[in-house]
Amino acid sequence: MGDLHVVLRAMTEADLARVVAMEAASHGTPWPESSFREELNAGPRSRAVVAEEEADGGRRLLGHMVFWLYDDTCELMNVTVAPEARRRGLGRRLMEHLLGEARLAGCAQVFLDVRVGNAPARALYAEVGFLEVGRRRGYYSSPDEDAVLMSLSL
């Protein structure tokens, strides 16, 4: 994955400040800390993951994701890659992790929503096998934008 040496692990409450800061730097309508805290306490259906790299004797958070596993379905709720780590393979690595977890859980379908104007994300999702299956008008704000619903059959 380029020159990134990243470890994926379960998100903890100790990560929340860094996760929320990354959200704020990356999204017009970022998830608040309370949403991530709810996911950490939501039980087995919710999975929250961070991607971090060893850097300068410490650890640097480069990405995170939240997804749900329920019945035979997986739904990606949030995925973010830090601006300095984009276009270096981390988004693909996070998606491969999600798909591996979905397969292990016996899911038949994976769903996600993505901003219609987020061409890099839409291209990544298509590369890993997602198809555009619908649109949600006015789903996003800041800026106002439609969401493209994408699905992958496992």
Side-chain angles (χ1 to χ4, degrees):
M1 183 175 61
D3 57 344
L4 294 178
H5 302 286
V6 173
V7 173
L8 301 183
R9 63 168 176 78
M11 186 185 297
T12 68
E13 291 210 12
D15 297 315
L16 291 179
R18 293 184 301 160
V19 166
V20 170
M22 184 183 303
E23 277 285 298
S26 300
H27 300 293
T29 310
W31 275 25
E33 181 177 329
S34 60
S35 293
F36 287 103
R37 192 173 301 281
E38 285 175 25
E39 294 301 328
L40 291 179
N41 296 306
R45 78 149 205 258
S46 179
R47 305 284 172 89
V49 174
V50 294
E52 63 184 5
E53 148 180 86
E54 296 279 340
D56 302 321
R59 293 181 181 235
R60 182 170 63 140
L61 190 72
L62 294 179
H64 61 267
M65 71 186 319
V66 175
F67 57 96
W68 290 353
L69 299 168
Y70 52 93
D71 299 326
D72 65 348
T73 303
C74 176
E75 186 170 357
L76 177 61
M77 306 305 293
N78 181 306
V79 61
T80 303
V81 173
E84 68 272 17
R86 292 182 187 154
R87 306 245 190 272
R88 296 168 70 191
L90 182 54
R92 176 177 296 279
R93 176 125 178 244
L94 287 165
M95 292 307 298
E96 288 170 353
H97 177 79
L98 168 89
L99 296 176
E101 291 290 311
R103 286 184 180 98
L104 282 173
C107 294
Q109 289 286 124
V110 182
F111 293 98
L112 62 85
D113 292 300
V114 59
R115 285 182 179 271
V116 71
N118 190 344
R122 288 173 68 187
L124 171 63
Y125 301 145
E127 286 174 20
V128 297
F130 282 84
L131 301 174
E132 296 186 7
V133 296
R135 190 172 281 224
R136 300 178 200 267
R137 301 272 175 222
Y139 185 77
Y140 291 106
S141 60
S142 298
D144 293 340
E145 198 167 10
D146 291 351
V148 174
L149 176 61
M150 300 184 80
S151 175
L152 172 73
S153 295
L154 296 177

